[in-house]
Amino acid sequence: MAIDKKQVKGLLGSIDGLFEQVLHAMPIKVPMEVVQFIKDKVMGAAVDELRDLVVNARPPRLYLMGRSGHGKSTLINALANREVAVVGHVEPTTMQSEIHRIEFPEVHAAWEIIDSRGIFEAMRPDGAPGRNAVEQVQEDILKHKPDVILHAIAARETRSMSEDVRVGKEVRELIKRKLHVVPPTVIVLTQTDLLEPAREWPPTPGGRKMTRIKEILDFVVVKIIGAKAFEPFDKAEPAYGYKITEESFVSGVIPVAAPAPPEPFWNVEQLSECIGQLIPKEAQLDFFQAQQRKALLKNVALNMVDRFATTAALIGSTPLPIADMLLITPLQMLMVAMVGGLSCRSMTIGTAGEFMGASGATVAAGFALREVARQAMKFVPFLGAPVAGGIAYSGTRAVGRSAVSYFFLGELRQPQEFMIDEARP
Ligand SMILES: Nc1nc2c(ncn2[C@@H]2O[C@H](COP(=O)(O)OP(=O)(O)O)[C@@H](O)[C@H]2O)c(=O)[nH]1
Ligand SMILES: [Mg+2]
């Protein structure tokens, strides 16, 4: 099970019903304008979140560029975490690119892959891609409008790198003149396991292999791309790749390896995370869900929890004297249902209820937090609204983090445990 678009209508219906119930359960009669405020601003924002991420979800479209044999098909398999593409030294039979759709029915996801195989074989005898390679790639991108371009370059082939990158740059400049939005490009340095020393696998931080990987990475970023502003994804270990922070035809350079089993892959998740950040929101669910990589989906869930918490903070600006946590219950239930869905459980009010019941989340957190808010009000009355907003923020975030821990790690930890960084506005 995973997030299924078909469940959304049912879920929204139950959340609406819940909202009505909460209003009836309130100890005071909630003024009409407060109800309207919460419906529009708070629940409205949450439903928008659901719409962006789930209702409008569509397959990501990835464009694969690079020479034959440089590991394009293998890269797709590695990203997808299963065999989906044809791997091997297939002689390019056509100069046309092909688009294919990969279905992941068990997680309700699909990807669209455009494989430019053949294009880079339009090389001149000196090994440089000819004029028509540039034109073909350009035509392809204008036609298919991919979300991201992955340019695979074998890490060992340092001789052909500058030619390859030049083609990528030229293509991009041509497209820029014709399209308003140019798809971001990631240069993927493939087959790093084949670098010297060949037997050291997987590479260990500080080891010779990692040092070699970093040398090549620096060479590509500084010498070939000529980037001036860039930063490592991981400050402690730059060999995992760089994000280019200046205006450039490349957004990132990431070394990976996907050798045949039983050798382990290396750094594929970093690439995946980077792609996930570059593609539009509506393409993220299919992209991440297909991979069934817990760590990545957990990150998507944590980011979503933070956005829900920010939305909950709006409740601090309602005309009520103090924000009542009970009013946030429907919002939190929706958030928990989405966390459950992302964890590949079903995205229903039932799943959310199971968590809420097990952890006593809203009721317990709601009442406890109300008490905290009241105490805070006593001491700093003029700070009433912001404090209440802060409590709504950290309380919702705590419930969300507790749900992430429950659904992703199978650990039942009380929301209170996550309430360390209190009252952020
Ligand atoms: N050792 C190793 N071999 C790889 C890696 N990636 C691809 N290969 C091998 O390189 C060959 C070409 O890969 P393929 O994905 O078909 O390249 P494509 O022509 O660009 O699609 C195949 O034999 C793959 O098994 C890698 O990261 N490490
Ligand atoms: Mg291939």
Side-chain angles (χ1 to χ4, degrees), residues 64 68-69 71-74 85-88 90 115 117:
L64 290 175
S68 185
K72 294 184 297 298
S73 308
T74 307
V86 190
V87 177
V90 186
D115 189 340
R117 74 198 184 97

Side-chain angles (χ1 to χ4, degrees), residues 222-244:
V222 179
K223 290 276 163 23
I224 296 187
I225 298 174
K228 304 227 159 32
F230 53 90
E231 56 189 42
F233 290 106
D234 181 339
K235 285 198 178 62
E237 187 42 84
Y240 293 127
Y242 290 120
K243 177 199 263 184
I244 313 280

Side-chain angles (χ1 to χ4, degrees), residues 132-413:
N132 40 4
V134 174
E135 268 157 24
Q136 181 71 57
V137 174
Q138 183 207 178
E139 211 171 280
D140 261 1
I141 293 174
L142 290 173
K143 182 166 131 201
H144 298 299
K145 299 194 176 57
D147 295 312
V148 68
I149 300 167
L150 301 179
H151 189 165
I153 306 178
R156 284 181 309 170
E157 310 263 331
T158 41
R159 274 182 309 129
S160 52
M161 274 176 188
S162 61
E163 265 309 311
D164 262 42
V165 173
R166 185 187 57 76
V167 172
K169 187 173 182 178
E170 225 171 277
V171 167
R172 230 185 123 81
E173 271 156 16
L174 287 170
I175 296 165
K176 213 169 178 175
R177 288 188 216 136
K178 300 189 179 165
L179 276 185
H180 293 301
V181 197
V182 194
T185 297
V186 180
I187 291 182
V188 188
L189 299 174
T190 56
Q191 307 174 346
T192 52
D193 56 306
L194 301 178
L195 294 169
E196 292 301 319
R199 268 172 306 162
E200 191 194 322
W201 197 255
T204 44
R208 278 174 63 202
K209 188 87 150 211
M210 213 81 147
T211 309
R212 183 76 192 115
I213 292 172
K214 174 149 185 314
E215 274 168 17
I216 294 175
L217 188 61
D218 286 338
F219 171 71
V220 172
V221 172
V222 179
K223 290 276 163 23
I224 296 187
I225 298 174
K228 304 227 159 32
F230 53 90
E231 56 189 42
F233 290 106
D234 181 339
K235 285 198 178 62
E237 187 42 84
Y240 293 127
Y242 290 120
K243 177 199 263 184
I244 313 280
T245 51
E246 65 192 3
E247 175 64 26
S248 168
F249 61 102
V250 183
S251 302
V253 184
I254 303 182
V256 299
E263 298 298 334
F265 291 170
W266 179 75
N267 214 28
V268 176
E269 288 207 358
Q270 179 66 66
L271 174 64
S272 189
E273 221 177 288
C274 174
I275 296 172
Q277 275 167 20
L278 291 171
I279 60 179
K281 211 172 185 185
E282 62 270 19
Q284 285 179 1
L285 185 67
D286 279 55
F287 180 66
F288 284 125
Q289 206 151 249
Q291 303 176 45
Q292 297 189 31
R293 285 191 169 95
K294 255 192 173 173
L296 293 172
L297 285 164
K298 190 172 151 231
N299 272 343
V300 177
L302 286 171
N303 286 334
M304 189 198 68
V305 163
D306 282 351
R307 286 191 298 274
F308 267 78
T310 305
T311 299
L314 283 174
I315 221 136
S317 54
T318 54
L320 265 188
I322 61 161
D324 200 299
M325 290 302 290
L326 267 186
L327 282 174
I328 316 180
T329 304
L331 179 79
Q332 293 182 342
M333 288 292 266
L334 181 57
M335 172 182 71
V336 171
M338 286 175 78
V339 171
L342 284 170
S343 78
C344 293
R345 293 280 307 276
S346 63
M347 186 186 63
T348 59
I349 197 89
T351 314
E354 170 199 317
F355 161 76
M356 292 298 212
S359 68
T362 22
V363 186
F367 285 114
L369 292 171
R370 238 187 310 175
E371 212 29 64
V372 175
R374 283 209 179 95
Q375 295 300 331
M377 291 282 292
K378 257 194 257 163
F379 293 112
V380 270
F382 54 93
L383 283 180
V387 168
I391 294 281
Y393 176 90
S394 49
T396 303
R397 191 164 172 275
V399 169
R401 299 212 152 216
S402 167
V404 169
S405 149
Y406 177 80
F407 287 114
F408 282 91
L409 311 173
E411 289 169 14
L412 188 55
R413 292 173 57 196

